[in-house]
Amino acid sequence: MKWILVLGIAAAGYWYWSGPFQESRLLSPQEQLENNAKLMKRCVDKEKSMAGSAGVGGIGGIVDGAESLCAEQLGLMARDGNWYSAE
């Protein structure tokens, strides 16, 4: 009897987590664009920091290279001034 109750609670928890909970976490298109912009900024800032600490901060093109690298890492592409998923 105890196992049936435990399995019932586990099944209900799994159903909630895989259904309603995940749906509530979906982002609107505008929220996704904002999230992508934040991810890109964080990644580019990290790349600039790493380039600066490696002593190549004065070399031109670091930002463009960092954006290309970050876009590839994050699976994003630039279009109309926003970062979209490349999928």
Side-chain angles (χ1 to χ4, degrees), residues 1-80:
M1 180 68 178
K2 208 185 273 188
W3 287 105
I4 293 173
L5 181 61
V6 169
L7 288 175
I9 291 172
Y14 178 77
W15 170 82
Y16 180 77
W17 180 81
S18 64
F21 178 75
Q22 294 298 330
E23 288 175 7
S24 70
R25 294 178 40 111
L26 295 177
L27 300 176
S28 73
Q30 184 60 37
E31 290 172 327
Q32 187 62 48
L33 289 177
E34 291 170 3
N35 189 43
N36 290 347
K38 287 178 190 175
L39 290 172
M40 278 299 293
K41 181 178 179 348
R42 199 173 320 153
C43 183
V44 168
D45 288 347
K46 183 179 94 174
E47 290 297 324
K48 281 198 255 181
S49 173
M50 288 172 42
S53 66
V56 294
I59 298 174
I62 291 295
V63 174
D64 292 338
E67 278 189 353
S68 298
L69 180 67
C70 289
E72 184 178 328
Q73 286 177 352
L74 297 170
L76 300 174
M77 62 183 209
R79 186 176 64 219
D80 304 326

